Amino acid sequence: MKINNLSLPHPVLGLNDDVQGDFVVHCHVNSDEEDITLAINQKITNDNLQSLIDMGNAEFCVEINCPQTFYREVKTLKKQNEEIILPASNFYNKVILSFYIVSAKTLEDYRPSGLNGDYGSASFEIEKADILAYGGETFFIAEKNDLGLKATKSIMTVQEDTTDREPLKYLVEDEKITIMMSKQDFKKYQDLYSVANYSPIFHAAIAYPALLYALTEYFKKSDEFVDYKWAQALEWKRDNLKLNNSWNEQHIPELAQKILGQPIGRGLGGLEKINEIQDREES
Amino acid sequence: MRQKILKESSYNQLISQFRDLTESQVLKEYTKESFSFQENALVETDLIVENPISLDLSNRTGADDFQNAISLFETFSQLTPAEATDPKLWTTLAHYDCWGYMRKRWPAEVNSAKSNKEYIEQRYFIKSINSKNLLRHGISRLWWMVYLTYDDGGSNPYELTEEVFSMLDYTTHLLSGVQGRNRNFSRAILKFVIKNKELFEKYKESRVRFVLRRLNYMAGYKVFSALSENDITIFLEDIKKDIEDISD
């Protein structure tokens, strides 16, 4: 639940300056074929809320939300450092984790310590599951094996078009960014792709322009692509490579370079290597 | 036996070919007696099925959806939620194993969509993996509607499933909704409707929509998933009078 822009009917620690103090959560995600492990460290600095937790009147929880597998559940945390193990088979693609402290029962006259002066002398009636503190949100990407086949981490695929000689096309209205090659080009691609020295050149000449196009479309209308695996994988890369500050249409060429690991430089390196080999063979 | 599905390359080829079809070509392809694939287009998976899938073809309007859903769910009892998002599985079933059923239940030539192509794309393919598309596809909807409502805590594990098939609103507003993903939430509502048959005998659609609106409003400031099924039921009991006042 995105609550940053909501005006809630009672003060919440972690939202604007409603309440003094901090609720800080760190979460590390580890996954293998069977399980996904969330290693969570949470800390609160607000006497009143800490006291409510100690008495069992409030509790830490993490809401786990995977839209694509219809999964939405809350796990309650009892300790400052805790691991939660989840079956990997319940998840596919984006899994959103939201951290809260919620009320465990009805609280009459709730008035947290460090309440913003704007609230005056007001106190609040709190019901079970009302949010008392918000520790932020993060997400990870859950991969899965394709029903007995190997999972692929690629967000792009090259396919043969039905035309003989038409120019290359890029399609982004699908789970992967699709590069459609004419029959003639696709045959050449298939024949050459397995040559190791050509791989960086393919990245520079084929994958890089495809990603430029996909990023352009993404920034124009990101809502349209929110469910597609390629868009979610790019957002995960954004967070992993810490590209948030430059995540906009002005920096598309730079973003594409960073996401693909400098394809132009590697492509030029590939050509250099081919040149060296040719020189050696001629001499 | 092991379930076969389209290989990645064959699936991509099918999608590519479908994209290039005109409206009249779509109609021609999707009114054939059978849909043909090239040899070696299918590959065996690890998914074991005891018997081949058998869906009832007698009723075009969906009156047999509930029984067909149970039949499909029990055939694929080992499918995990992650595997059940695989568009290749559902596309293969729609075009190959269950083509006869699809032709009868979701015929290309009879639909109210803007175009035949759009209709076929919604019912025979999964364009993008999200709750709406999984609940719209002709075959995946059957599996998911059972999976999301199966209740092994009661004497009849399909009681909630039968209720969910009784009204379209449940798929469009409850199961595909943000809060509906939480099992306590959807179970509490379905059980409440079943238990209070008289309350929902008249104006059922309007009254169920009212309940969903009230709960979604509360979800704006509560972590609803932190509530138990019983907590939600208590709340529903408290608003019974308000529900009675709803008359379309």
PDB file of all heavy atoms in Angstrom, chain A residues 1 63 65 68 70 72 89 127-130 144 148 162 174-175 180 227-228, chain B residues 12 16 19-20 45-46 82 85 128-130 178 181-182 219 222-223 225 231:
ATOM      1  N   MET A   1       0.857  -1.185   0.000  1.00  0.00           N
ATOM      2  CA  MET A   1       0.000   0.000   0.000  1.00  0.00           C
ATOM      3  C   MET A   1       0.896   1.239   0.000  1.00  0.00           C
ATOM      4  O   MET A   1       1.748   1.388   0.848  1.00  0.00           O
ATOM      5  CB  MET A   1      -0.875  -0.024   1.272  1.00  0.00           C
ATOM      6  CG  MET A   1      -1.630   1.254   1.527  1.00  0.00           C
ATOM      7  SD  MET A   1      -2.956   1.115   2.738  1.00  0.00           S
ATOM      8  CE  MET A   1      -2.094   0.605   4.172  1.00  0.00           C
ATOM      9  N   GLU A  63       4.268  -6.654   5.010  1.00  0.00           N
ATOM     10  CA  GLU A  63       3.240  -7.095   4.058  1.00  0.00           C
ATOM     11  C   GLU A  63       3.939  -7.510   2.775  1.00  0.00           C
ATOM     12  O   GLU A  63       4.729  -6.745   2.214  1.00  0.00           O
ATOM     13  CB  GLU A  63       2.239  -5.976   3.770  1.00  0.00           C
ATOM     14  CG  GLU A  63       1.060  -6.460   2.912  1.00  0.00           C
ATOM     15  CD  GLU A  63       0.038  -5.374   2.647  1.00  0.00           C
ATOM     16  OE1 GLU A  63       0.426  -4.289   2.167  1.00  0.00           O
ATOM     17  OE2 GLU A  63      -1.156  -5.607   2.914  1.00  0.00           O
ATOM     18  N   ASN A  65       3.558  -8.689  -1.061  1.00  0.00           N
ATOM     19  CA  ASN A  65       2.550  -8.537  -2.104  1.00  0.00           C
ATOM     20  C   ASN A  65       3.144  -8.903  -3.465  1.00  0.00           C
ATOM     21  O   ASN A  65       4.072  -8.248  -3.926  1.00  0.00           O
ATOM     22  CB  ASN A  65       2.072  -7.067  -2.088  1.00  0.00           C
ATOM     23  CG  ASN A  65       1.029  -6.787  -3.133  1.00  0.00           C
ATOM     24  OD1 ASN A  65       0.409  -7.698  -3.682  1.00  0.00           O
ATOM     25  ND2 ASN A  65       0.824  -5.525  -3.429  1.00  0.00           N
ATOM     26  N   GLN A  68       1.297 -10.653  -9.438  1.00  0.00           N
ATOM     27  CA  GLN A  68       1.121 -11.573 -10.553  1.00  0.00           C
ATOM     28  C   GLN A  68       0.766 -12.997 -10.132  1.00  0.00           C
ATOM     29  O   GLN A  68       0.371 -13.795 -10.970  1.00  0.00           O
ATOM     30  CB  GLN A  68       2.359 -11.548 -11.454  1.00  0.00           C
ATOM     31  CG  GLN A  68       2.401 -10.235 -12.240  1.00  0.00           C
ATOM     32  CD  GLN A  68       3.674 -10.032 -13.016  1.00  0.00           C
ATOM     33  OE1 GLN A  68       4.764 -10.118 -12.496  1.00  0.00           O
ATOM     34  NE2 GLN A  68       3.539  -9.730 -14.292  1.00  0.00           N
ATOM     35  N   PHE A  70      -1.297 -13.310  -7.339  1.00  0.00           N
ATOM     36  CA  PHE A  70      -2.445 -13.059  -6.456  1.00  0.00           C
ATOM     37  C   PHE A  70      -2.069 -13.273  -4.985  1.00  0.00           C
ATOM     38  O   PHE A  70      -2.894 -13.751  -4.199  1.00  0.00           O
ATOM     39  CB  PHE A  70      -3.611 -14.029  -6.778  1.00  0.00           C
ATOM     40  CG  PHE A  70      -4.215 -13.873  -8.138  1.00  0.00           C
ATOM     41  CD1 PHE A  70      -3.657 -14.515  -9.229  1.00  0.00           C
ATOM     42  CD2 PHE A  70      -5.361 -13.126  -8.332  1.00  0.00           C
ATOM     43  CE1 PHE A  70      -4.217 -14.400 -10.498  1.00  0.00           C
ATOM     44  CE2 PHE A  70      -5.940 -13.014  -9.600  1.00  0.00           C
ATOM     45  CZ  PHE A  70      -5.366 -13.649 -10.676  1.00  0.00           C
ATOM     46  N   ARG A  72      -0.950 -11.919  -1.278  1.00  0.00           N
ATOM     47  CA  ARG A  72      -0.876 -10.759  -0.392  1.00  0.00           C
ATOM     48  C   ARG A  72      -1.051 -11.262   1.032  1.00  0.00           C
ATOM     49  O   ARG A  72      -2.142 -11.692   1.420  1.00  0.00           O
ATOM     50  CB  ARG A  72      -1.977  -9.752  -0.735  1.00  0.00           C
ATOM     51  CG  ARG A  72      -1.824  -8.415  -0.028  1.00  0.00           C
ATOM     52  CD  ARG A  72      -2.974  -7.491  -0.424  1.00  0.00           C
ATOM     53  NE  ARG A  72      -2.753  -6.148   0.061  1.00  0.00           N
ATOM     54  CZ  ARG A  72      -2.260  -5.152  -0.667  1.00  0.00           C
ATOM     55  NH1 ARG A  72      -1.964  -5.339  -1.930  1.00  0.00           N
ATOM     56  NH2 ARG A  72      -2.083  -3.958  -0.144  1.00  0.00           N
ATOM     57  N   SER A  89       7.823 -21.036  -4.805  1.00  0.00           N
ATOM     58  CA  SER A  89       6.780 -21.395  -5.781  1.00  0.00           C
ATOM     59  C   SER A  89       5.547 -20.496  -5.703  1.00  0.00           C
ATOM     60  O   SER A  89       4.674 -20.562  -6.558  1.00  0.00           O
ATOM     61  CB  SER A  89       6.347 -22.855  -5.573  1.00  0.00           C
ATOM     62  OG  SER A  89       5.862 -23.025  -4.257  1.00  0.00           O
ATOM     63  N   GLU A 127      -8.101   1.360  15.889  1.00  0.00           N
ATOM     64  CA  GLU A 127      -8.649   0.005  15.798  1.00  0.00           C
ATOM     65  C   GLU A 127      -7.559  -0.980  15.410  1.00  0.00           C
ATOM     66  O   GLU A 127      -6.471  -0.585  14.960  1.00  0.00           O
ATOM     67  CB  GLU A 127      -9.750  -0.023  14.745  1.00  0.00           C
ATOM     68  CG  GLU A 127     -10.960   0.810  15.115  1.00  0.00           C
ATOM     69  CD  GLU A 127     -11.963   0.878  13.971  1.00  0.00           C
ATOM     70  OE1 GLU A 127     -11.582   0.657  12.814  1.00  0.00           O
ATOM     71  OE2 GLU A 127     -13.136   1.181  14.247  1.00  0.00           O
ATOM     72  N   LYS A 128      -7.882  -2.236  15.531  1.00  0.00           N
ATOM     73  CA  LYS A 128      -6.918  -3.297  15.181  1.00  0.00           C
ATOM     74  C   LYS A 128      -6.492  -3.145  13.716  1.00  0.00           C
ATOM     75  O   LYS A 128      -7.326  -2.891  12.843  1.00  0.00           O
ATOM     76  CB  LYS A 128      -7.575  -4.663  15.389  1.00  0.00           C
ATOM     77  CG  LYS A 128      -6.608  -5.827  15.209  1.00  0.00           C
ATOM     78  CD  LYS A 128      -7.264  -7.157  15.501  1.00  0.00           C
ATOM     79  CE  LYS A 128      -6.268  -8.283  15.247  1.00  0.00           C
ATOM     80  NZ  LYS A 128      -6.838  -9.604  15.459  1.00  0.00           N
ATOM     81  N   ALA A 129      -5.186  -3.293  13.454  1.00  0.00           N
ATOM     82  CA  ALA A 129      -4.566  -3.242  12.122  1.00  0.00           C
ATOM     83  C   ALA A 129      -4.402  -1.819  11.580  1.00  0.00           C
ATOM     84  O   ALA A 129      -3.933  -1.645  10.456  1.00  0.00           O
ATOM     85  CB  ALA A 129      -5.296  -4.110  11.096  1.00  0.00           C
ATOM     86  N   ASP A 130      -4.767  -0.796  12.371  1.00  0.00           N
ATOM     87  CA  ASP A 130      -4.490   0.578  11.936  1.00  0.00           C
ATOM     88  C   ASP A 130      -2.982   0.792  11.937  1.00  0.00           C
ATOM     89  O   ASP A 130      -2.269   0.273  12.795  1.00  0.00           O
ATOM     90  CB  ASP A 130      -5.154   1.588  12.880  1.00  0.00           C
ATOM     91  CG  ASP A 130      -6.635   1.764  12.602  1.00  0.00           C
ATOM     92  OD1 ASP A 130      -7.146   1.122  11.645  1.00  0.00           O
ATOM     93  OD2 ASP A 130      -7.288   2.535  13.324  1.00  0.00           O
ATOM     94  N   LYS A 144      11.511 -17.762 -11.852  1.00  0.00           N
ATOM     95  CA  LYS A 144      11.014 -19.129 -11.723  1.00  0.00           C
ATOM     96  C   LYS A 144      11.524 -19.927 -12.908  1.00  0.00           C
ATOM     97  O   LYS A 144      11.873 -19.368 -13.931  1.00  0.00           O
ATOM     98  CB  LYS A 144       9.489 -19.152 -11.700  1.00  0.00           C
ATOM     99  CG  LYS A 144       8.832 -18.891 -13.049  1.00  0.00           C
ATOM    100  CD  LYS A 144       7.376 -19.272 -13.005  1.00  0.00           C
ATOM    101  CE  LYS A 144       6.547 -18.938 -14.207  1.00  0.00           C
ATOM    102  NZ  LYS A 144       6.938 -18.616 -15.433  1.00  0.00           N
ATOM    103  N   GLY A 148       9.861 -26.791 -16.026  1.00  0.00           N
ATOM    104  CA  GLY A 148      10.781 -27.849 -16.411  1.00  0.00           C
ATOM    105  C   GLY A 148      11.900 -27.379 -17.326  1.00  0.00           C
ATOM    106  O   GLY A 148      12.860 -28.085 -17.538  1.00  0.00           O
ATOM    107  N   THR A 162       8.017 -12.491 -40.438  1.00  0.00           N
ATOM    108  CA  THR A 162       7.446 -13.233 -41.562  1.00  0.00           C
ATOM    109  C   THR A 162       7.900 -12.660 -42.903  1.00  0.00           C
ATOM    110  O   THR A 162       7.645 -13.241 -43.953  1.00  0.00           O
ATOM    111  CB  THR A 162       5.905 -13.189 -41.504  1.00  0.00           C
ATOM    112  OG1 THR A 162       5.510 -11.821 -41.321  1.00  0.00           O
ATOM    113  CG2 THR A 162       5.385 -14.012 -40.345  1.00  0.00           C
ATOM    114  N   ASP A 174       5.135  -6.955 -24.769  1.00  0.00           N
ATOM    115  CA  ASP A 174       5.212  -8.374 -24.410  1.00  0.00           C
ATOM    116  C   ASP A 174       6.154  -8.535 -23.230  1.00  0.00           C
ATOM    117  O   ASP A 174       6.783  -7.566 -22.800  1.00  0.00           O
ATOM    118  CB  ASP A 174       5.729  -9.199 -25.600  1.00  0.00           C
ATOM    119  CG  ASP A 174       5.139 -10.602 -25.585  1.00  0.00           C
ATOM    120  OD1 ASP A 174       4.802 -11.082 -24.482  1.00  0.00           O
ATOM    121  OD2 ASP A 174       5.010 -11.216 -26.652  1.00  0.00           O
ATOM    122  N   GLU A 175       6.266  -9.708 -22.712  1.00  0.00           N
ATOM    123  CA  GLU A 175       7.092  -9.939 -21.525  1.00  0.00           C
ATOM    124  C   GLU A 175       8.559  -9.590 -21.757  1.00  0.00           C
ATOM    125  O   GLU A 175       9.243  -9.138 -20.867  1.00  0.00           O
ATOM    126  CB  GLU A 175       6.990 -11.399 -21.075  1.00  0.00           C
ATOM    127  CG  GLU A 175       5.646 -11.777 -20.489  1.00  0.00           C
ATOM    128  CD  GLU A 175       5.292 -10.941 -19.273  1.00  0.00           C
ATOM    129  OE1 GLU A 175       6.082 -10.903 -18.302  1.00  0.00           O
ATOM    130  OE2 GLU A 175       4.228 -10.294 -19.272  1.00  0.00           O
ATOM    131  N   MET A 180      12.596  -8.109 -33.989  1.00  0.00           N
ATOM    132  CA  MET A 180      12.078  -8.900 -35.120  1.00  0.00           C
ATOM    133  C   MET A 180      12.983  -8.668 -36.328  1.00  0.00           C
ATOM    134  O   MET A 180      13.097  -7.552 -36.839  1.00  0.00           O
ATOM    135  CB  MET A 180      10.655  -8.452 -35.471  1.00  0.00           C
ATOM    136  CG  MET A 180       9.651  -8.612 -34.346  1.00  0.00           C
ATOM    137  SD  MET A 180       9.323 -10.312 -33.907  1.00  0.00           S
ATOM    138  CE  MET A 180       8.557 -10.911 -35.372  1.00  0.00           C
ATOM    139  N   ASP A 227       3.239  -4.280 -16.064  1.00  0.00           N
ATOM    140  CA  ASP A 227       3.121  -5.719 -15.819  1.00  0.00           C
ATOM    141  C   ASP A 227       4.172  -6.540 -16.547  1.00  0.00           C
ATOM    142  O   ASP A 227       4.327  -7.732 -16.288  1.00  0.00           O
ATOM    143  CB  ASP A 227       1.736  -6.223 -16.262  1.00  0.00           C
ATOM    144  CG  ASP A 227       0.652  -5.681 -15.366  1.00  0.00           C
ATOM    145  OD1 ASP A 227       0.894  -5.528 -14.165  1.00  0.00           O
ATOM    146  OD2 ASP A 227      -0.442  -5.393 -15.891  1.00  0.00           O
ATOM    147  N   TYR A 228       4.877  -5.943 -17.496  1.00  0.00           N
ATOM    148  CA  TYR A 228       5.796  -6.731 -18.325  1.00  0.00           C
ATOM    149  C   TYR A 228       7.099  -7.006 -17.588  1.00  0.00           C
ATOM    150  O   TYR A 228       7.661  -6.157 -16.905  1.00  0.00           O
ATOM    151  CB  TYR A 228       6.090  -6.019 -19.643  1.00  0.00           C
ATOM    152  CG  TYR A 228       4.887  -5.953 -20.564  1.00  0.00           C
ATOM    153  CD1 TYR A 228       4.495  -4.756 -21.150  1.00  0.00           C
ATOM    154  CD2 TYR A 228       4.156  -7.095 -20.860  1.00  0.00           C
ATOM    155  CE1 TYR A 228       3.402  -4.689 -21.999  1.00  0.00           C
ATOM    156  CE2 TYR A 228       3.060  -7.037 -21.702  1.00  0.00           C
ATOM    157  CZ  TYR A 228       2.687  -5.830 -22.270  1.00  0.00           C
ATOM    158  OH  TYR A 228       1.604  -5.775 -23.108  1.00  0.00           O
TER     159      TYR A 228
ATOM    160  N   ASN B  12       6.637 -18.124 -29.339  1.00  0.00           N
ATOM    161  CA  ASN B  12       6.941 -16.795 -29.899  1.00  0.00           C
ATOM    162  C   ASN B  12       6.494 -16.698 -31.355  1.00  0.00           C
ATOM    163  O   ASN B  12       6.004 -15.662 -31.801  1.00  0.00           O
ATOM    164  CB  ASN B  12       8.441 -16.503 -29.811  1.00  0.00           C
ATOM    165  CG  ASN B  12       8.898 -16.296 -28.379  1.00  0.00           C
ATOM    166  OD1 ASN B  12       8.117 -15.876 -27.527  1.00  0.00           O
ATOM    167  ND2 ASN B  12      10.154 -16.601 -28.104  1.00  0.00           N
ATOM    168  N   SER B  16       3.794 -14.118 -32.919  1.00  0.00           N
ATOM    169  CA  SER B  16       4.203 -13.296 -34.064  1.00  0.00           C
ATOM    170  C   SER B  16       3.218 -13.469 -35.215  1.00  0.00           C
ATOM    171  O   SER B  16       2.785 -12.499 -35.841  1.00  0.00           O
ATOM    172  CB  SER B  16       5.609 -13.721 -34.475  1.00  0.00           C
ATOM    173  OG  SER B  16       6.026 -12.984 -35.570  1.00  0.00           O
ATOM    174  N   ARG B  19      -0.110 -11.778 -34.454  1.00  0.00           N
ATOM    175  CA  ARG B  19      -0.027 -10.303 -34.588  1.00  0.00           C
ATOM    176  C   ARG B  19      -0.236  -9.861 -36.028  1.00  0.00           C
ATOM    177  O   ARG B  19      -0.783  -8.801 -36.285  1.00  0.00           O
ATOM    178  CB  ARG B  19       1.359  -9.823 -34.132  1.00  0.00           C
ATOM    179  CG  ARG B  19       1.462  -9.612 -32.671  1.00  0.00           C
ATOM    180  CD  ARG B  19       2.589  -8.673 -32.322  1.00  0.00           C
ATOM    181  NE  ARG B  19       2.757  -8.717 -30.873  1.00  0.00           N
ATOM    182  CZ  ARG B  19       3.753  -9.297 -30.232  1.00  0.00           C
ATOM    183  NH1 ARG B  19       4.745  -9.842 -30.900  1.00  0.00           N
ATOM    184  NH2 ARG B  19       3.801  -9.320 -28.919  1.00  0.00           N
ATOM    185  N   ASP B  20       0.248 -10.685 -36.959  1.00  0.00           N
ATOM    186  CA  ASP B  20       0.180 -10.301 -38.372  1.00  0.00           C
ATOM    187  C   ASP B  20      -1.161 -10.631 -39.029  1.00  0.00           C
ATOM    188  O   ASP B  20      -1.382 -10.281 -40.188  1.00  0.00           O
ATOM    189  CB  ASP B  20       1.289 -11.017 -39.169  1.00  0.00           C
ATOM    190  CG  ASP B  20       2.655 -10.441 -38.833  1.00  0.00           C
ATOM    191  OD1 ASP B  20       2.702  -9.297 -38.353  1.00  0.00           O
ATOM    192  OD2 ASP B  20       3.666 -11.139 -39.053  1.00  0.00           O
ATOM    193  N   THR B  45       6.875 -31.243 -20.135  1.00  0.00           N
ATOM    194  CA  THR B  45       7.294 -30.535 -18.915  1.00  0.00           C
ATOM    195  C   THR B  45       7.396 -31.548 -17.774  1.00  0.00           C
ATOM    196  O   THR B  45       7.182 -32.732 -17.968  1.00  0.00           O
ATOM    197  CB  THR B  45       6.256 -29.469 -18.526  1.00  0.00           C
ATOM    198  OG1 THR B  45       5.033 -30.140 -18.130  1.00  0.00           O
ATOM    199  CG2 THR B  45       5.956 -28.531 -19.669  1.00  0.00           C
ATOM    200  N   ASP B  46       7.698 -31.021 -16.577  1.00  0.00           N
ATOM    201  CA  ASP B  46       7.748 -31.885 -15.395  1.00  0.00           C
ATOM    202  C   ASP B  46       6.369 -32.060 -14.766  1.00  0.00           C
ATOM    203  O   ASP B  46       6.217 -32.725 -13.756  1.00  0.00           O
ATOM    204  CB  ASP B  46       8.679 -31.263 -14.338  1.00  0.00           C
ATOM    205  CG  ASP B  46      10.111 -31.245 -14.813  1.00  0.00           C
ATOM    206  OD1 ASP B  46      10.458 -32.077 -15.660  1.00  0.00           O
ATOM    207  OD2 ASP B  46      10.882 -30.379 -14.326  1.00  0.00           O
ATOM    208  N   ALA B  82       3.411 -19.912  -9.108  1.00  0.00           N
ATOM    209  CA  ALA B  82       4.417 -19.361 -10.028  1.00  0.00           C
ATOM    210  C   ALA B  82       4.304 -20.018 -11.406  1.00  0.00           C
ATOM    211  O   ALA B  82       4.332 -19.346 -12.439  1.00  0.00           O
ATOM    212  CB  ALA B  82       5.815 -19.554  -9.464  1.00  0.00           C
ATOM    213  N   THR B  85       1.465 -18.895 -13.775  1.00  0.00           N
ATOM    214  CA  THR B  85       1.525 -17.617 -14.488  1.00  0.00           C
ATOM    215  C   THR B  85       2.120 -17.806 -15.882  1.00  0.00           C
ATOM    216  O   THR B  85       2.243 -16.840 -16.631  1.00  0.00           O
ATOM    217  CB  THR B  85       2.399 -16.584 -13.740  1.00  0.00           C
ATOM    218  OG1 THR B  85       3.748 -17.084 -13.645  1.00  0.00           O
ATOM    219  CG2 THR B  85       1.868 -16.293 -12.361  1.00  0.00           C
ATOM    220  N   SER B 128      -0.257 -10.031 -21.192  1.00  0.00           N
ATOM    221  CA  SER B 128       0.729  -9.709 -20.162  1.00  0.00           C
ATOM    222  C   SER B 128       0.252 -10.373 -18.882  1.00  0.00           C
ATOM    223  O   SER B 128      -0.943 -10.568 -18.689  1.00  0.00           O
ATOM    224  CB  SER B 128       0.872  -8.205 -19.956  1.00  0.00           C
ATOM    225  OG  SER B 128      -0.320  -7.663 -19.466  1.00  0.00           O
ATOM    226  N   ILE B 129       1.215 -10.735 -18.026  1.00  0.00           N
ATOM    227  CA  ILE B 129       0.840 -11.521 -16.843  1.00  0.00           C
ATOM    228  C   ILE B 129       0.342 -10.588 -15.758  1.00  0.00           C
ATOM    229  O   ILE B 129       1.116  -9.908 -15.101  1.00  0.00           O
ATOM    230  CB  ILE B 129       2.033 -12.341 -16.344  1.00  0.00           C
ATOM    231  CG1 ILE B 129       2.524 -13.255 -17.470  1.00  0.00           C
ATOM    232  CG2 ILE B 129       1.645 -13.170 -15.124  1.00  0.00           C
ATOM    233  CD1 ILE B 129       3.843 -13.918 -17.198  1.00  0.00           C
ATOM    234  N   ASN B 130      -0.958 -10.510 -15.601  1.00  0.00           N
ATOM    235  CA  ASN B 130      -1.545  -9.778 -14.482  1.00  0.00           C
ATOM    236  C   ASN B 130      -2.858 -10.465 -14.109  1.00  0.00           C
ATOM    237  O   ASN B 130      -3.335 -11.348 -14.823  1.00  0.00           O
ATOM    238  CB  ASN B 130      -1.754  -8.288 -14.818  1.00  0.00           C
ATOM    239  CG  ASN B 130      -2.664  -8.068 -16.008  1.00  0.00           C
ATOM    240  OD1 ASN B 130      -3.699  -8.709 -16.140  1.00  0.00           O
ATOM    241  ND2 ASN B 130      -2.294  -7.138 -16.876  1.00  0.00           N
ATOM    242  N   VAL B 178      -6.990  -5.399  -5.424  1.00  0.00           N
ATOM    243  CA  VAL B 178      -5.778  -5.354  -4.593  1.00  0.00           C
ATOM    244  C   VAL B 178      -5.997  -6.115  -3.278  1.00  0.00           C
ATOM    245  O   VAL B 178      -5.193  -6.954  -2.892  1.00  0.00           O
ATOM    246  CB  VAL B 178      -5.383  -3.893  -4.326  1.00  0.00           C
ATOM    247  CG1 VAL B 178      -4.323  -3.809  -3.246  1.00  0.00           C
ATOM    248  CG2 VAL B 178      -4.899  -3.240  -5.609  1.00  0.00           C
ATOM    249  N   ARG B 181      -6.553 -10.181  -3.130  1.00  0.00           N
ATOM    250  CA  ARG B 181      -5.433 -11.136  -3.185  1.00  0.00           C
ATOM    251  C   ARG B 181      -5.208 -11.790  -1.830  1.00  0.00           C
ATOM    252  O   ARG B 181      -4.609 -12.858  -1.737  1.00  0.00           O
ATOM    253  CB  ARG B 181      -4.138 -10.420  -3.572  1.00  0.00           C
ATOM    254  CG  ARG B 181      -4.064 -10.037  -5.023  1.00  0.00           C
ATOM    255  CD  ARG B 181      -2.795  -9.282  -5.306  1.00  0.00           C
ATOM    256  NE  ARG B 181      -3.024  -8.275  -6.314  1.00  0.00           N
ATOM    257  CZ  ARG B 181      -2.446  -7.086  -6.365  1.00  0.00           C
ATOM    258  NH1 ARG B 181      -1.574  -6.745  -5.447  1.00  0.00           N
ATOM    259  NH2 ARG B 181      -2.725  -6.237  -7.336  1.00  0.00           N
ATOM    260  N   ASN B 182      -5.651 -11.110  -0.778  1.00  0.00           N
ATOM    261  CA  ASN B 182      -5.472 -11.681   0.551  1.00  0.00           C
ATOM    262  C   ASN B 182      -6.574 -12.703   0.807  1.00  0.00           C
ATOM    263  O   ASN B 182      -7.771 -12.368   0.698  1.00  0.00           O
ATOM    264  CB  ASN B 182      -5.492 -10.566   1.599  1.00  0.00           C
ATOM    265  CG  ASN B 182      -5.384 -11.115   2.990  1.00  0.00           C
ATOM    266  OD1 ASN B 182      -6.354 -11.206   3.727  1.00  0.00           O
ATOM    267  ND2 ASN B 182      -4.178 -11.496   3.372  1.00  0.00           N
ATOM    268  N   ALA B 219      -9.424  -0.080   3.924  1.00  0.00           N
ATOM    269  CA  ALA B 219      -8.081  -0.508   3.541  1.00  0.00           C
ATOM    270  C   ALA B 219      -7.160   0.666   3.264  1.00  0.00           C
ATOM    271  O   ALA B 219      -5.951   0.507   3.140  1.00  0.00           O
ATOM    272  CB  ALA B 219      -8.152  -1.419   2.314  1.00  0.00           C
ATOM    273  N   LYS B 222      -5.747   1.008   6.994  1.00  0.00           N
ATOM    274  CA  LYS B 222      -5.436  -0.212   7.757  1.00  0.00           C
ATOM    275  C   LYS B 222      -4.581  -1.120   6.891  1.00  0.00           C
ATOM    276  O   LYS B 222      -4.672  -1.100   5.680  1.00  0.00           O
ATOM    277  CB  LYS B 222      -6.715  -1.005   8.015  1.00  0.00           C
ATOM    278  CG  LYS B 222      -7.493  -0.679   9.212  1.00  0.00           C
ATOM    279  CD  LYS B 222      -8.599  -1.712   9.374  1.00  0.00           C
ATOM    280  CE  LYS B 222      -9.653  -1.230  10.327  1.00  0.00           C
ATOM    281  NZ  LYS B 222      -9.110  -0.833  11.620  1.00  0.00           N
ATOM    282  N   VAL B 223      -3.792  -1.965   7.558  1.00  0.00           N
ATOM    283  CA  VAL B 223      -3.127  -3.042   6.818  1.00  0.00           C
ATOM    284  C   VAL B 223      -4.101  -4.211   6.896  1.00  0.00           C
ATOM    285  O   VAL B 223      -4.075  -5.022   7.833  1.00  0.00           O
ATOM    286  CB  VAL B 223      -1.762  -3.390   7.464  1.00  0.00           C
ATOM    287  CG1 VAL B 223      -1.106  -4.531   6.709  1.00  0.00           C
ATOM    288  CG2 VAL B 223      -0.869  -2.156   7.451  1.00  0.00           C
ATOM    289  N   SER B 225      -4.406  -6.952   5.427  1.00  0.00           N
ATOM    290  CA  SER B 225      -3.856  -8.315   5.462  1.00  0.00           C
ATOM    291  C   SER B 225      -3.475  -8.732   6.877  1.00  0.00           C
ATOM    292  O   SER B 225      -3.237  -9.915   7.128  1.00  0.00           O
ATOM    293  CB  SER B 225      -2.615  -8.409   4.567  1.00  0.00           C
ATOM    294  OG  SER B 225      -2.842  -7.773   3.337  1.00  0.00           O
ATOM    295  N   ASP B 231     -11.848 -11.384  12.133  1.00  0.00           N
ATOM    296  CA  ASP B 231     -11.928  -9.916  12.314  1.00  0.00           C
ATOM    297  C   ASP B 231     -12.795  -9.304  11.226  1.00  0.00           C
ATOM    298  O   ASP B 231     -13.627  -8.430  11.481  1.00  0.00           O
ATOM    299  CB  ASP B 231     -10.532  -9.271  12.224  1.00  0.00           C
ATOM    300  CG  ASP B 231      -9.633  -9.632  13.387  1.00  0.00           C
ATOM    301  OD1 ASP B 231     -10.161  -9.820  14.498  1.00  0.00           O
ATOM    302  OD2 ASP B 231      -8.396  -9.702  13.170  1.00  0.00           O
TER     303      ASP B 231
END
